[in-house]
């Protein structure tokens, strides 16, 4: 038989990607397609489920064609996805009853505030490891059942089903034969008990969600079913699933407790492997499931930042001071520092460790000498400062010292940002050779399930660093900057 490959599907917030990986974990082919972002009202963000699927299907075809392979050459498919995004569809017809409500969508924020006022914070945190927020799926499912005509009755009659994007893709790939999710995605719904590893009846009752709607929860690495779509002439096992941030943790081979990665995509997501137990955070971080392989569950401590690379998109599309995201590096590099400017990128509120959904972004410290370059630099520094706040919360929670930070995601390509991150953390930042670690993590999970790779030890040999950013050691200057950042955040929070 000719050489076989793993096909990884990375269904992200702004684009769908398909990547063909070879046995060394190297990329043989990639296809990527952006799809429509729908903003029906301020604070609302939706995707069309069919467009999620058609963009994903089209990149599958594209990646296979560009690799010059066919279905017989694919040993397994792995899936990784934007998490929390919620789809409800008809079990019989397969038709969604509403658009996908995206993780960034804030429409259920006031309901979340009411839950907090009722004193439900600890009850929910104990079961799910999560902080009450519109970010997670539970309140989004409830919103659909409450607002789409006839949806609640149909759901109670067992006619509607719910899934995160992984479930939706598996359903489409198997032509409605398989309705499942994996533990990592389940752990982001605010309906799943991360200790008992089961949907939680008390939470289902609280949110009024019928249990019959829910997908069966599987491990992150096993054969869930086989493809039935005409995209492939042969049936291919679908054998690995993980939410994108957990997949990146696995792709970075952060497989030992205490290892940390930060993904700089639309938002930033810092995850620490916490071993076989969830860490109960005292500093507003989330406990979540990193993966389950066989009977072994690994947990993670997570700090989620809503606006990371998205601030660079705003410099491009909102402010117009750059024409492409990549240009921000040259602009920021043209000045030695931000000249006293601080940019708190709270465009959609602040997530970890503040969890304040009402605050908005601010640029402060502008003087006559401030230029676009200072603003660009302050925006990049704002990403790094937010990461620093989460790292500090993590150190307090886990009682560890951060030895190194592994980075990935689109904005991790930016050397100015990465150097500043190392400086402000006073920690070495390491960028791996393969920066597509999210897709790689899902490929590894799928490959392990079908014996394409024998074990984690074998996979670990594939991880290579591309560049290390060593802290400059200018600690006095960094301390002053940290103080300036704290003042800037305090002013945003006070307002
Ligand atoms: N060179 C760069 N410097 C800073 N930010 C960048 C750079 N290149 C891309 N980005 C930002 O990274 C994000 C895209 O990263 P990606 O990992 O593809 O995100 P996602 O998976 O969330 O769609 C965008 O918000 C973009 O503005
Ligand atoms: O699609 P991304 O890379 O922006 O990731 C989104 C996260 O999964 C949201 O929790």
């Amino acid at each position: 038989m000719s050489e076989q490959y793993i096909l990884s599907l990375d269904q992200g917030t702004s684009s769908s990607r398909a990547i063909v990986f070879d046995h060394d974990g190297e990329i043989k082919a990639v296809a990527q397609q952006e799809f429509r972002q729908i903003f029906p009202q301020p604070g609302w963000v939706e995707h069309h489920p069919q467009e999620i699927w058609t963009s994903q299907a089209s990149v599958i075809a594209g990646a296979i064609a560009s690799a010059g392979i066919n279905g017989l050459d694919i040993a397994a498919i792995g899936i990784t996805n934007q998490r929390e995004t919620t789809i409800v569809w008809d079990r019989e017809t397969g038709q969604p009853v509403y658009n996908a409500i995206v993780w960034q969508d804030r429409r259920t924020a006031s309901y979340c505030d009411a839950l907090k006022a009722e004193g439900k914070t600890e009850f929910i945190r104990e079961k799910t490891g999560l902080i009450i927020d519109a970010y997670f799926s539970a309140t989004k499912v409830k919103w659909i059942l409450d607002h789409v005509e006839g949806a609640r009755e149909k759901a109670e009659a067992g006619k509607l089903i719910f899934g995160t994007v992984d479930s939706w893709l598996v359903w489409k790939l198997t032509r409605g034969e398989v309705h499942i999710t994996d533990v990592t995605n389940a752990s982001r719904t605010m309906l799943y008990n991360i200790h008992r590893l089961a949907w939680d009846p008390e939470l289902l009752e609280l949110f009024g969600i019928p249990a019959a709607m829910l997908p069966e929860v599987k491990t992150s690495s096993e054969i869930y079913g086989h493809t039935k779509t005409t995209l492939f002439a042969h049936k291919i096992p679908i054998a690995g699933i993980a939410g994108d941030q957990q997949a990146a943790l696995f792709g970075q081979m952060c497989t030992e407790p205490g290892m940390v990665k930060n993904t700089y995509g639309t938002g930033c997501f810092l995850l620490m492997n916490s071993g076989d137990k969830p860490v109960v955070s005292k500093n507003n971080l989330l406990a979540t499931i990193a993966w389950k392989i066989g009977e072994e569950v690994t947990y993670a401590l997570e700090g989620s930042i809503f606006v990371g690379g998205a601030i660079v998109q705003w410099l491009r599309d909102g402010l117009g001071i750059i024409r492409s995201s990549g240009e921000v590096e040259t602009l920021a590099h043209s000045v030695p520092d931000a000249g006293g400017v601080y940019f708190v990128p709270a465009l959609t509120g602040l997530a970890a460790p503040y969890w304040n959904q009402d605050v908005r972004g601010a640029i402060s410290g502008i003087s006559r000498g401030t230029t676009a370059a200072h603003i660009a630099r302050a925006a990049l520094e704002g990403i790094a400062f937010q990461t620093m706040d989460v790292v500090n919360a993590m150190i307090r929670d886990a009682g560890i010292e951060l030895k190194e930070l592994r980075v990935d995601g689109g904005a991790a390509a930016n050397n100015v940002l990465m150097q500043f991150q190392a400086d402000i953390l006073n920690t070495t930042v390491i960028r791996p050779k393969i920066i597509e670690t999210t897709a790689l993590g899902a490929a590894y999970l799928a490959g392990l399930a079908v014996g394409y790779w024998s074990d984690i030890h074998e996979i670990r040999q594939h991880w290579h660093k591309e560049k290390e950013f060593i802290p400059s050691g200018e600690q006095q200057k960094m301390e002053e900057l940290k103080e300036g950042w704290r003042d800037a955040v305090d002013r945003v929070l006070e307002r």
Side-chain angles (χ1 to χ4, degrees), residues 408-430:
D408 53 61
N414 189 312
N415 292 324
V416 172
L417 170 59
M418 293 301 106
Q419 185 58 53
F420 186 75
Q421 188 71 82
D423 293 345
I424 204 73
L425 288 175
N426 200 21
T427 299
T428 302
V429 166
I430 300 180

Side-chain angles (χ1 to χ4, degrees), residues 19 29 46 54 57 108 126 139 142 224 228 238 326 341 379 461:
I19 305 189
E46 298 179 358
T54 49
T108 57
E126 271 167 25
T139 63
K142 176 176 159 49
Y224 314 105
K228 262 187 105 178
I238 305 165
V341 177
Q461 316 306 318

Side-chain angles (χ1 to χ4, degrees), residues 56-87:
Q56 193 63 65
S58 138
V59 293
I60 290 173
I64 292 177
S66 109
I69 59 173
N70 67 44
L72 275 182
D73 303 316
I74 300 171
I77 293 176
I79 297 177
T80 181
N81 55 289
Q82 51 167 323
R83 307 168 303 168
E84 301 96 13
T85 297
T86 297
I87 307 176

